[in-house]
Amino acid sequence: MKTEVSEMEERKGKGEVMSGTLDLSALPLECITLIISFTSPRDACRLSLVSTALNSATESDAVWESFLPSQFQALIPSSLSFSSKKQLYLSLCENPLLIEAGRKSFWLDRVSGKKCYMLSLRDLSIIWSDTPDYWRWVSIPEARFDQVAELLSVCWFKIRGKISISMLSPMTHYKAYLVFQANKDYGFNYYPVNLSVGVVGTEGSKRSAYLQPKKERRIREEQPTPGDDVQFPKARVDRWLEVEMGEFFNEGCVDDGELEMSAVEIEGCNWRGGLILQGIEIRAITPN
């Protein structure tokens, strides 16, 4: 493969500029591999289609290990083995791992290789979660965690979660989502839930959402009409529902802070229930 390169080389006494071509396929395989390791997984896949030499380089363990998080060996159960670092990378994209005694789920964004997480309900602070009349811990086959929380009935809905910023990928745009199922839900059509994401001690990013699907929502006469900025749940490919809680850009400058997510509705004081909550997902957002 020949790539045009501009060489702004001023020749002595003439001020001439030379332009030439560089045959990348003529470079040693180690050099090509090193160059590709500074790109992204998406770029590596695209480059593999260009030539035989680039395809060989993009299949190397050195390239795909560069896309894996540091200390990735500690995340992989000893019972799992992989024939290549590329296979390991793809497995981490498609099969989330339970970490921290099953309280969190971890995976990689397939396109960028950025780290993503879901915090289980056991990893969150939930008002009255230890009161059996209000919440019930259940196990369902479609859940990612051993247990999820079924909301029986509360008049105050308040959930908060935190994650260390050091666990996130630097220079990455993240969005957080509340993930749940609507199981004979009631009471969530009256007032939207206030959602927020931000570094602890700051105001952060804010959203609002009705947790009852739009087609099931009944409107009271005294209720205001939802504005354009009020969300309704969206269906996910895994058959759960989600609402966006907010966004956060991790510049990578702070390692000792915490990112906090919250979902709160305490103004209405009406009874509500019928949701099954799986957790809060913190997802890396890749530009198109």
Side-chain angles (χ1 to χ4, degrees):
M1 171 189 168
K2 292 192 175 182
T3 304
E4 293 290 332
V5 292
S6 295
E7 299 177 358
M8 304 304 291
E9 183 180 278
E10 204 169 315
R11 304 179 72 180
K12 286 185 179 180
K14 294 185 179 181
E16 296 178 2
V17 174
M18 296 184 62
S19 177
T21 59
L22 173 64
D23 187 356
L24 290 182
S25 62
L27 293 174
L29 183 62
E30 293 78 6
C31 292
I32 301 174
T33 298
L34 180 62
I35 293 170
I36 296 174
S37 69
F38 285 104
T39 64
S40 68
R42 176 165 57 184
D43 292 333
C45 291
R46 288 172 174 171
L47 288 169
S48 69
L49 304 175
V50 173
S51 70
T52 302
L54 289 181
N55 181 65
S56 297
T58 59
E59 291 296 318
S60 71
D61 277 352
V63 166
W64 290 96
E65 185 167 352
S66 72
F67 299 146
L68 292 169
S70 60
Q71 301 178 336
F72 66 88
Q73 297 93 340
L75 300 171
I76 311 303
S78 57
S79 58
L80 298 179
S81 62
F82 301 92
S83 60
S84 67
K85 291 297 190 298
K86 182 178 181 180
Q87 185 188 47
L88 169 58
Y89 176 88
L90 294 175
S91 178
L92 288 176
C93 295
E94 298 166 0
N95 304 295
L97 295 176
L98 293 179
I99 61 173
E100 297 186 8
R103 298 175 72 91
K104 289 183 178 71
S105 175
F106 164 82
W107 71 100
L108 299 178
D109 177 72
R110 187 184 183 96
V111 172
S112 65
K114 304 295 188 178
K115 293 183 281 188
C116 305
Y117 298 89
M118 182 182 285
L119 312 185
S120 72
L121 268 292
R122 289 293 190 187
D123 209 35
L124 306 179
S125 173
I126 309 172
I127 191 170
W128 296 330
S129 62
D130 56 350
T131 305
D133 290 339
Y134 299 146
W135 292 86
R136 178 170 60 191
W137 295 94
V138 297
S139 298
I140 57 177
E142 63 268 29
R144 188 173 298 185
F145 304 102
D146 289 339
Q147 287 188 318
V148 293
E150 181 181 5
L151 174 56
L152 301 177
S153 187
V154 295
C155 58
W156 278 19
F157 183 79
K158 192 172 183 180
I159 297 175
R160 295 187 184 277
K162 297 179 182 179
I163 186 171
S164 173
I165 294 175
S166 63
M167 296 180 67
L168 305 177
S169 296
M171 301 304 295
T172 302
H173 182 201
Y174 282 96
K175 289 187 177 182
Y177 299 84
L178 183 66
V179 181
F180 61 97
Q181 290 181 350
N183 180 27
K184 297 181 180 179
D185 54 288
Y186 65 91
F188 283 100
N189 58 320
Y190 300 143
Y191 297 93
V193 174
N194 297 312
L195 308 162
S196 68
V197 174
V199 176
V200 173
T202 66
E203 187 172 347
S205 171
K206 295 184 178 180
R207 303 284 190 274
S208 61
Y210 289 98
L211 299 189
Q212 192 167 34
K214 190 172 184 179
K215 63 182 180 180
E216 300 175 9
R217 184 171 177 261
R218 300 183 183 90
I219 301 176
R220 288 177 168 180
E221 291 183 1
E222 65 272 20
Q223 281 182 260
T225 302
D228 294 337
D229 58 339
V230 178
Q231 307 173 74
F232 289 90
K234 294 181 179 179
R236 295 159 49 98
V237 294
D238 58 6
R239 299 184 181 181
W240 290 77
L241 300 172
E242 70 179 21
V243 291
E244 183 185 322
M245 303 179 71
E247 57 192 317
F248 168 73
F249 184 76
N250 182 26
E251 296 181 350
C253 300
V254 179
D255 287 334
D256 58 351
E258 288 185 305
L259 186 68
E260 183 177 44
M261 294 76 52
S262 67
V264 179
E265 206 300 286
I266 59 176
E267 296 179 4
C269 292
N270 59 290
W271 290 92
R272 68 208 78 184
L275 298 183
I276 296 178
L277 289 98
Q278 177 162 216
I280 293 177
E281 185 171 278
I282 305 162
R283 206 156 70 216
I285 305 301
T286 305
N288 294 327

